[in-house]
PDB file of all heavy atoms in Angstrom:
ATOM      1  N   GLY L  35      37.825 -88.619  60.276  1.00 68.00           N
ATOM      2  CA  GLY L  35      37.625 -87.173  60.378  1.00 68.00           C
ATOM      3  C   GLY L  35      36.271 -86.771  59.846  1.00 68.00           C
ATOM      4  O   GLY L  35      35.626 -87.535  59.117  1.00 68.00           O
ATOM      5  N   GLY L  36      35.833 -85.581  60.259  1.00 63.00           N
ATOM      6  CA  GLY L  36      34.510 -85.129  59.839  1.00 63.00           C
ATOM      7  C   GLY L  36      33.477 -85.913  60.619  1.00 63.00           C
ATOM      8  O   GLY L  36      33.642 -87.116  60.840  1.00 63.00           O
ATOM      9  N   ALA L  37      32.445 -85.235  61.070  1.00 62.00           N
ATOM     10  CA  ALA L  37      31.476 -85.951  61.899  1.00 62.00           C
ATOM     11  C   ALA L  37      30.063 -85.835  61.358  1.00 62.00           C
ATOM     12  O   ALA L  37      29.132 -86.308  61.972  1.00 62.00           O
ATOM     13  CB  ALA L  37      31.531 -85.425  63.326  1.00 62.00           C
ATOM     14  N   SER L  38      29.921 -85.217  60.191  1.00 69.00           N
ATOM     15  CA  SER L  38      28.567 -85.047  59.685  1.00 69.00           C
ATOM     16  C   SER L  38      28.132 -86.229  58.841  1.00 69.00           C
ATOM     17  O   SER L  38      26.961 -86.569  58.800  1.00 69.00           O
ATOM     18  CB  SER L  38      28.466 -83.759  58.888  1.00 69.00           C
ATOM     19  OG  SER L  38      29.436 -83.748  57.893  1.00 69.00           O
ATOM     20  N   ARG L  39      29.086 -86.815  58.111  1.00 83.00           N
ATOM     21  CA  ARG L  39      28.778 -87.978  57.275  1.00 83.00           C
ATOM     22  C   ARG L  39      29.921 -88.983  57.421  1.00 83.00           C
ATOM     23  O   ARG L  39      31.057 -88.607  57.637  1.00 83.00           O
ATOM     24  CB  ARG L  39      28.732 -87.586  55.796  1.00 83.00           C
ATOM     25  CG  ARG L  39      27.899 -86.383  55.469  1.00 83.00           C
ATOM     26  CD  ARG L  39      26.650 -86.742  54.688  1.00 83.00           C
ATOM     27  NE  ARG L  39      25.962 -85.544  54.271  1.00 83.00           N
ATOM     28  CZ  ARG L  39      25.088 -84.876  55.033  1.00 83.00           C
ATOM     29  NH1 ARG L  39      24.817 -85.290  56.233  1.00 83.00           N
ATOM     30  NH2 ARG L  39      24.498 -83.785  54.584  1.00 83.00           N
ATOM     31  N   GLU L  40      29.580 -90.263  57.203  1.00 89.00           N
ATOM     32  CA  GLU L  40      30.641 -91.254  57.073  1.00 89.00           C
ATOM     33  C   GLU L  40      31.164 -91.149  55.648  1.00 89.00           C
ATOM     34  O   GLU L  40      30.366 -91.130  54.703  1.00 89.00           O
ATOM     35  CB  GLU L  40      30.083 -92.659  57.273  1.00 89.00           C
ATOM     36  CG  GLU L  40      29.683 -92.973  58.694  1.00 89.00           C
ATOM     37  CD  GLU L  40      29.065 -94.361  58.773  1.00 89.00           C
ATOM     38  OE1 GLU L  40      28.160 -94.653  57.973  1.00 89.00           O
ATOM     39  OE2 GLU L  40      29.501 -95.142  59.610  1.00 89.00           O
ATOM     40  N   THR L  41      32.462 -91.099  55.486  1.00 92.00           N
ATOM     41  CA  THR L  41      33.032 -90.966  54.140  1.00 92.00           C
ATOM     42  C   THR L  41      33.893 -92.194  53.822  1.00 92.00           C
ATOM     43  O   THR L  41      34.696 -92.611  54.657  1.00 92.00           O
ATOM     44  CB  THR L  41      33.880 -89.681  54.049  1.00 92.00           C
ATOM     45  OG1 THR L  41      33.061 -88.582  54.435  1.00 92.00           O
ATOM     46  CG2 THR L  41      34.403 -89.436  52.643  1.00 92.00           C
ATOM     47  N   PHE L  42      33.695 -92.743  52.623  1.00 95.00           N
ATOM     48  CA  PHE L  42      34.447 -93.927  52.206  1.00 95.00           C
ATOM     49  C   PHE L  42      35.136 -93.665  50.876  1.00 95.00           C
ATOM     50  O   PHE L  42      34.551 -93.079  49.973  1.00 95.00           O
ATOM     51  CB  PHE L  42      33.507 -95.135  52.047  1.00 95.00           C
ATOM     52  CG  PHE L  42      32.789 -95.495  53.326  1.00 95.00           C
ATOM     53  CD1 PHE L  42      31.574 -94.886  53.642  1.00 95.00           C
ATOM     54  CD2 PHE L  42      33.327 -96.417  54.205  1.00 95.00           C
ATOM     55  CE1 PHE L  42      30.908 -95.203  54.822  1.00 95.00           C
ATOM     56  CE2 PHE L  42      32.667 -96.737  55.387  1.00 95.00           C
ATOM     57  CZ  PHE L  42      31.457 -96.128  55.704  1.00 95.00           C
ATOM     58  N   ARG L  43      36.390 -94.121  50.797  1.00 95.00           N
ATOM     59  CA  ARG L  43      37.157 -94.030  49.555  1.00 95.00           C
ATOM     60  C   ARG L  43      37.087 -95.411  48.882  1.00 95.00           C
ATOM     61  O   ARG L  43      37.440 -96.408  49.510  1.00 95.00           O
ATOM     62  CB  ARG L  43      38.602 -93.688  49.907  1.00 95.00           C
ATOM     63  CG  ARG L  43      39.388 -93.048  48.802  1.00 95.00           C
ATOM     64  CD  ARG L  43      40.817 -92.765  49.241  1.00 95.00           C
ATOM     65  NE  ARG L  43      40.914 -91.696  50.234  1.00 95.00           N
ATOM     66  CZ  ARG L  43      41.551 -91.815  51.388  1.00 95.00           C
ATOM     67  NH1 ARG L  43      42.134 -92.919  51.746  1.00 95.00           N
ATOM     68  NH2 ARG L  43      41.613 -90.789  52.229  1.00 95.00           N
ATOM     69  N   ILE L  44      36.621 -95.411  47.625  1.00 97.00           N
ATOM     70  CA  ILE L  44      36.325 -96.696  46.974  1.00 97.00           C
ATOM     71  C   ILE L  44      37.020 -96.786  45.617  1.00 97.00           C
ATOM     72  O   ILE L  44      37.116 -95.787  44.898  1.00 97.00           O
ATOM     73  CB  ILE L  44      34.790 -96.824  46.750  1.00 97.00           C
ATOM     74  CG1 ILE L  44      34.071 -96.729  48.104  1.00 97.00           C
ATOM     75  CG2 ILE L  44      34.427 -98.119  46.050  1.00 97.00           C
ATOM     76  CD1 ILE L  44      32.575 -96.503  47.981  1.00 97.00           C
ATOM     77  N   GLN L  45      37.460 -97.996  45.288  1.00 98.00           N
ATOM     78  CA  GLN L  45      38.017 -98.215  43.953  1.00 98.00           C
ATOM     79  C   GLN L  45      37.377 -99.479  43.366  1.00 98.00           C
ATOM     80  O   GLN L  45      37.349-100.525  44.026  1.00 98.00           O
ATOM     81  CB  GLN L  45      39.536 -98.391  44.052  1.00 98.00           C
ATOM     82  CG  GLN L  45      40.231 -98.152  42.740  1.00 98.00           C
ATOM     83  CD  GLN L  45      41.743 -98.072  42.902  1.00 98.00           C
ATOM     84  OE1 GLN L  45      42.247 -98.078  44.016  1.00 98.00           O
ATOM     85  NE2 GLN L  45      42.449 -97.986  41.800  1.00 98.00           N
ATOM     86  N   VAL L  46      36.866 -99.362  42.123  1.00 98.00           N
ATOM     87  CA  VAL L  46      36.235-100.515  41.477  1.00 98.00           C
ATOM     88  C   VAL L  46      36.871-100.756  40.093  1.00 98.00           C
ATOM     89  O   VAL L  46      37.513 -99.856  39.538  1.00 98.00           O
ATOM     90  CB  VAL L  46      34.705-100.330  41.301  1.00 98.00           C
ATOM     91  CG1 VAL L  46      34.009-100.198  42.635  1.00 98.00           C
ATOM     92  CG2 VAL L  46      34.392 -99.132  40.416  1.00 98.00           C
ATOM     93  N   LYS L  47      36.670-101.958  39.579  1.00 97.00           N
ATOM     94  CA  LYS L  47      37.221-102.304  38.254  1.00 97.00           C
ATOM     95  C   LYS L  47      36.144-103.043  37.460  1.00 97.00           C
ATOM     96  O   LYS L  47      35.416-103.863  38.028  1.00 97.00           O
ATOM     97  CB  LYS L  47      38.438-103.203  38.445  1.00 97.00           C
ATOM     98  CG  LYS L  47      39.241-103.466  37.187  1.00 97.00           C
ATOM     99  CD  LYS L  47      40.556-104.166  37.500  1.00 97.00           C
ATOM    100  CE  LYS L  47      40.344-105.648  37.739  1.00 97.00           C
ATOM    101  NZ  LYS L  47      41.599-106.412  37.801  1.00 97.00           N
ATOM    102  N   ASP L  48      36.062-102.721  36.147  1.00 96.00           N
ATOM    103  CA  ASP L  48      35.089-103.471  35.347  1.00 96.00           C
ATOM    104  C   ASP L  48      35.788-104.607  34.594  1.00 96.00           C
ATOM    105  O   ASP L  48      36.996-104.807  34.753  1.00 96.00           O
ATOM    106  CB  ASP L  48      34.300-102.541  34.411  1.00 96.00           C
ATOM    107  CG  ASP L  48      35.152-101.932  33.325  1.00 96.00           C
ATOM    108  OD1 ASP L  48      36.264-102.448  33.090  1.00 96.00           O
ATOM    109  OD2 ASP L  48      34.727-100.939  32.714  1.00 96.00           O
ATOM    110  N   LYS L  49      35.046-105.323  33.767  1.00 95.00           N
ATOM    111  CA  LYS L  49      35.589-106.518  33.118  1.00 95.00           C
ATOM    112  C   LYS L  49      36.724-106.194  32.148  1.00 95.00           C
ATOM    113  O   LYS L  49      37.582-107.016  31.866  1.00 95.00           O
ATOM    114  CB  LYS L  49      34.464-107.260  32.375  1.00 95.00           C
ATOM    115  CG  LYS L  49      33.668-108.156  33.286  1.00 95.00           C
ATOM    116  CD  LYS L  49      32.505-108.794  32.584  1.00 95.00           C
ATOM    117  CE  LYS L  49      32.911-110.057  31.856  1.00 95.00           C
ATOM    118  NZ  LYS L  49      31.741-110.719  31.231  1.00 95.00           N
ATOM    119  N   THR L  50      36.725-104.962  31.612  1.00 96.00           N
ATOM    120  CA  THR L  50      37.788-104.585  30.655  1.00 96.00           C
ATOM    121  C   THR L  50      39.066-104.170  31.389  1.00 96.00           C
ATOM    122  O   THR L  50      40.076-103.874  30.775  1.00 96.00           O
ATOM    123  CB  THR L  50      37.332-103.390  29.787  1.00 96.00           C
ATOM    124  OG1 THR L  50      37.218-102.237  30.643  1.00 96.00           O
ATOM    125  CG2 THR L  50      36.004-103.653  29.092  1.00 96.00           C
ATOM    126  N   GLY L  51      39.007-104.094  32.712  1.00 96.00           N
ATOM    127  CA  GLY L  51      40.182-103.695  33.499  1.00 96.00           C
ATOM    128  C   GLY L  51      40.173-102.212  33.810  1.00 96.00           C
ATOM    129  O   GLY L  51      41.077-101.699  34.477  1.00 96.00           O
ATOM    130  N   SER L  52      39.176-101.502  33.326  1.00 97.00           N
ATOM    131  CA  SER L  52      39.099-100.063  33.574  1.00 97.00           C
ATOM    132  C   SER L  52      38.717 -99.801  35.042  1.00 97.00           C
ATOM    133  O   SER L  52      37.766-100.374  35.560  1.00 97.00           O
ATOM    134  CB  SER L  52      38.063 -99.467  32.624  1.00 97.00           C
ATOM    135  OG  SER L  52      37.817 -98.137  32.977  1.00 97.00           O
ATOM    136  N   GLU L  53      39.505 -98.922  35.691  1.00 97.00           N
ATOM    137  CA  GLU L  53      39.276 -98.670  37.127  1.00 97.00           C
ATOM    138  C   GLU L  53      38.589 -97.323  37.350  1.00 97.00           C
ATOM    139  O   GLU L  53      38.755 -96.394  36.557  1.00 97.00           O
ATOM    140  CB  GLU L  53      40.616 -98.684  37.881  1.00 97.00           C
ATOM    141  CG  GLU L  53      41.244-100.073  37.872  1.00 97.00           C
ATOM    142  CD  GLU L  53      42.565-100.131  38.622  1.00 97.00           C
ATOM    143  OE1 GLU L  53      42.933 -99.140  39.287  1.00 97.00           O
ATOM    144  OE2 GLU L  53      43.238-101.187  38.527  1.00 97.00           O
TER     145      GLU L  53
END
Side-chain angles (χ1 to χ4, degrees):
Chain L
S38 54
R39 311 249 186 275
E40 289 177 310
T41 305
F42 300 88
R43 203 181 290 128
I44 301 166
Q45 200 169 353
V46 298
K47 189 170 79 169
D48 67 16
K49 277 175 85 177
T50 67
S52 171
E53 294 181 8

